């Protein structure tokens, strides 16, 4: 269960940053574009981090040790 806590903690931080990005973008012609770019960037970075983190915690292929000693070159 400890592996879920950092994921949730970072998610809360990213959601807070998204909220700040939504609220504090100055009004103008490109306000929607800037908001969308900020939110997509934060969501993409979070997903990349989470997938990498979870892949390290739960690898698909377990590491194994060779029974044969490695040869020196």
């Amino acid at each position: 269960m400890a592996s879920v806590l950092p994921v949730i903690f970072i998610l809360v931080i990213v959601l807070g940053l998204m909220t700040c990005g939504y609220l504090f973008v100055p009004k103008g012609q490109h306000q929607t574009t800037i908001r969308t770019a900020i939110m997509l960037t934060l969501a993409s970075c979070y997903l990349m981090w989470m997938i990498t983190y979870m892949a390290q915690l739960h690898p698909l292929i377990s590491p194994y040790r060779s029974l044969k000693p490695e040869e020196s070159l």
Side-chain angles (χ1 to χ4, degrees):
M1 190 68 180
S3 64
V4 177
L5 294 178
V7 174
I8 294 173
F9 180 71
I10 299 295
L11 176 64
V12 169
I13 291 173
V14 169
L15 290 175
L17 289 172
M18 284 183 170
T19 303
C20 288
Y22 182 81
L23 294 176
F24 297 120
V25 171
K27 294 196 183 281
Q29 184 179 5
H30 300 290
Q31 182 182 21
T32 306
T33 306
I34 294 170
R35 282 181 178 174
T36 305
I38 290 172
M39 290 185 175
L40 281 175
T41 301
L42 289 169
S44 299
C45 289
Y46 172 74
L47 283 175
M48 187 65 185
W49 173 82
M50 185 193 66
I51 290 168
T52 304
Y53 181 76
M54 297 304 274
Q56 290 177 3
L57 286 178
H58 308 289
L60 292 176
I61 301 172
S62 299
Y64 63 93
R65 183 176 231 174
S66 175
L67 298 176
K68 182 174 78 170
E70 294 186 26
E71 301 172 9
S72 299
L73 293 176

